[in-house]
Amino acid sequence: MDFTFTEEQQVAVEAARAVFSDVAPDGAPSPALTPGAVAEDIDRQLWHELARTDLLGLTLSPDHGGAGLDPIALCLVLRESAKVLARVPLLESCAVAMAIERYGDRTLAAELLPRAGRGELILTVGANGRSGHDPAELAVSARPYGSGDEAGEGETDGSAGGSGWVLDGVQSAVPWAQAADWIAVPAHTAGGHPVLALVPRTRDGVTLADQVSTNGERLAEVRLDAVRVEARELIDAAGCWDWLRSLLTTGTCALALGLGERVLAMTAEYTGKREQFGFPVATFQAVAVQAADRYIDLRAMEATLWQAAWRISTDTGGPLPAAGDVAVAKIWASDGVRRVVQTAQHLHGGFGADTDYPLHRYHAWAKQIELSLGPAAAHEEALGDLLAAHPLG
């Protein structure tokens, strides 16, 4: 087997490194010193630069002006973005665009995707539901309406016959919803079928309430009150929401890996210069062992990430569904990124808490990623359920 990345994927990494090399992790106010969001808007300059270098259209097909690469390439770019704490909805916008191209209406895709690839249009997604604990699709209901049936009487669980749908519910902690042009909203029909609605932010009945993440990014509670969407704006294809959710989760694991790698590099640099008793502290066995343990964490995070991304990219079968590989990636990313930043804080001593030093920013981002992924124990339980349903051997 050949586990190396393709030439196109490696070119994407080099392009991403060139773009992110000019981004300062401390370019926004510190979340530790800011009572609200650290910024009211995304990093527009960086967003335009990503568009200029075709990184926003990396995973779109050439028909829509993209490079036609796969989720592995997106994860490679996301890993680089996390190293500089890039304040852009790169994961959300690219993931929603991929879902639209893969499952959505062709005419809507032709209208939205070229603009998304050029950075003219921003997409985001509500994946946390009302509280972050229950499946996101259960937080919003979708009911069809027909001509002259504005109240939804006589609705069924099937297609709306081209008439449209009505959405009611709430999605909490939607990343950068205030800056987005379209919001992908998972919902459920009367029969419990998951669907994905594409809602313009300015559509009647959509209201946003400000929220702030642990790392100081601006989020929003998106409330939908009898919001109407056209039939083509709702994707009811089987597996669409599950696929998008897996892609978002895998992309978050890529962010965890990139952040962890940068934090470990910062730790190695600091301990290599900091001296005690006339020697760099990196030469002390207790320090070296802790750093080595975190290196092992990162390698496990990397291996499980690429396995999950490969399953999503290729739809390759296996003894377990792709959800099993995603669960394993989440287990390592959630626990691993926490251990890496905790060890880094410990080995940096007081510098780890100094707001003039960037490590505390990485700690806040790592905590946000950990909270987004959820506890490893929950993923272990999900993996156990999959193993029980698909016995190995």
Side-chain angles (χ1 to χ4, degrees):
M1 285 189 176
D2 183 4
F3 290 101
T4 59
F5 296 114
T6 67
E7 182 179 351
E8 291 81 2
Q9 291 166 345
Q10 292 171 344
V11 169
V13 172
E14 293 303 317
R17 286 174 179 167
V19 171
F20 293 126
S21 64
D22 294 328
V23 179
D26 53 359
S30 166
L33 304 177
T34 308
V38 297
E40 292 299 307
D41 197 7
I42 67 172
D43 187 338
R44 290 285 175 175
Q45 181 177 352
L46 175 57
W47 191 253
H48 295 323
E49 190 64 17
L50 289 168
R52 187 189 67 80
T53 53
D54 297 326
L55 288 174
L56 295 183
L58 190 69
T59 54
L60 298 178
S61 72
D63 291 341
H64 296 127
L69 299 187
D70 56 17
I72 295 175
L74 175 60
C75 287
L76 284 166
V77 174
L78 289 169
R79 179 171 70 171
E80 299 304 317
S81 76
K83 294 177 182 179
V84 297
L85 308 181
R87 291 183 298 103
V88 287
L90 181 62
L91 168 58
E92 293 80 11
S93 198
C94 290
V96 172
M98 292 179 70
I100 294 173
E101 183 169 48
R102 185 182 177 104
Y103 295 100
D105 179 84
R106 299 297 92 189
T107 59
L108 186 63
E111 291 175 16
L112 299 183
L113 300 187
R115 296 181 61 203
R118 294 192 299 267
E120 301 168 0
L121 184 145
I122 297 175
L123 308 171
T124 190
V125 56
N128 295 305
R130 183 181 293 271
S131 64
H133 297 291
D134 298 319
E137 66 271 20
L138 300 183
V140 177
S141 64
R143 52 186 172 86
Y145 69 88
S147 300
D149 183 23
E150 296 182 354
E153 296 177 3
E155 64 191 48
T156 67
D157 190 42
S159 170
S163 299
W165 297 78
V166 179
L167 305 176
D168 289 282
V170 175
Q171 289 289 343
S172 184
V174 180
W176 295 111
Q178 299 88 342
D181 299 285
W182 289 70
I183 304 172
V185 179
H188 67 280
T189 63
H193 177 61
V195 295
L196 185 69
L198 304 168
V199 184
R201 174 177 52 82
T202 56
R203 182 68 55 86
D204 289 344
V206 177
T207 57
L208 275 59
D210 281 352
Q211 296 177 317
V212 181
S213 67
T214 300
N215 60 344
E217 283 197 349
R218 195 178 184 196
L219 308 177
E221 179 189 79
V222 178
R223 186 172 296 274
L224 303 106
D225 185 11
V227 174
R228 293 187 180 183
V229 295
E230 300 174 13
R232 68 174 190 153
E233 295 172 341
L234 188 136
I235 304 174
D236 61 357
C240 173
W241 170 236
D242 287 339
W243 185 86
L244 176 56
R245 180 172 51 195
S246 293
L247 178 56
L248 290 167
T249 300
T250 305
T252 305
C253 293
L255 294 173
L257 175 62
L259 186 148
E261 288 176 332
R262 178 61 190 135
V263 166
L264 189 60
M266 292 171 62
T267 304
E269 181 180 2
Y270 175 80
T271 56
K273 295 179 179 178
R274 177 77 168 90
E275 291 189 0
Q276 286 186 357
F277 311 111
F279 297 95
V281 297
T283 61
F284 298 168
Q285 186 177 32
V287 173
V289 167
Q290 292 183 69
D293 285 344
R294 301 296 76 84
Y295 178 83
I296 293 171
D297 278 336
L298 290 174
R299 297 291 68 78
M301 291 166 62
E302 184 176 21
T304 54
L305 164 66
W306 299 132
Q307 172 70 11
W310 175 72
R311 289 292 302 275
I312 294 172
S313 298
T314 61
D315 292 325
T316 302
L320 291 179
D325 295 290
V326 174
V328 174
K330 286 195 290 186
I331 291 169
W332 277 102
S334 180
D335 269 2
V337 74
R338 172 179 51 80
R339 288 194 292 258
V340 169
V341 295
Q342 285 180 344
T343 297
Q345 290 279 15
H346 175 64
L347 297 182
H348 272 83
F351 272 97
D354 188 345
T355 56
D356 290 329
Y357 187 73
L359 182 60
H360 77 285
R361 296 173 182 268
Y362 286 90
H363 199 160
W365 277 68
K367 180 55 67 174
Q368 174 64 26
I369 290 173
E370 180 188 357
L371 293 172
S372 298
L373 290 171
H379 310 319
E380 291 166 353
E381 182 178 352
L383 182 61
D385 291 340
L386 285 172
L387 288 168
H390 303 82
L392 302 180

